[in-house]
Amino acid sequence: MKHPHEVIYQPLLTEKSTILRERRGVYCFKVNPEANKIEIAGAIEALFDKVKVAEVRTANVRGKAKRMGRFEGRRPNWKKAWVKLAPGCGEIEFFEST
């Protein structure tokens, strides 16, 4: 099994993810593209104390095409995960302190 820091790269702090966190208790993360839902849930529970994961949803995000003058390139593809916590099992303190 992978180390939790190899599975979870960073939290996604966008306007949409903030609304999801406040209204539904769903947290968004940028994760390893090779990680599955079971590994993501285990990594979240290992990184944050007193947290129980109820549901994980994932999506593969295609990288955008970018131009620099006449040269065209691509940003890399990445994976996004939405993690819903079980009710009454605490909150992820990283998001609450910002």
Side-chain angles (χ1 to χ4, degrees):
M1 188 164 159
K2 298 175 186 171
H3 190 270
H5 290 291
E6 294 176 358
V7 177
I8 306 296
Y9 289 157
Q10 65 189 28
L12 290 177
L13 300 175
T14 62
E15 187 174 353
K16 185 175 182 179
S17 68
T18 303
I19 292 170
L20 282 173
R21 178 176 47 86
E22 291 173 354
R23 294 187 182 166
R24 298 184 184 165
V26 175
Y27 297 86
C28 298
F29 294 94
K30 185 174 183 180
V31 297
N32 186 340
E34 298 175 359
N36 60 27
K37 294 179 182 184
I38 297 168
E39 291 175 340
I40 294 168
I44 293 294
E45 291 176 356
L47 287 174
F48 303 102
D49 296 333
K50 302 176 186 176
V51 170
K52 181 73 175 156
V53 175
E55 179 184 354
V56 176
R57 294 181 300 156
T58 60
N60 291 316
V61 181
R62 291 186 52 177
K64 293 181 178 180
K66 291 292 180 178
R67 294 181 57 101
M68 180 71 81
R70 64 184 174 127
F71 302 105
E72 186 172 329
R74 276 192 92 69
R75 289 187 180 165
N77 298 336
W78 55 285
K79 191 172 198 176
K80 183 191 302 189
W82 293 277
V83 177
K84 184 172 186 176
L85 302 181
C89 290
E91 298 175 340
I92 296 178
E93 296 175 5
F94 178 80
F95 289 95
E96 303 307 322
S97 63
T98 56

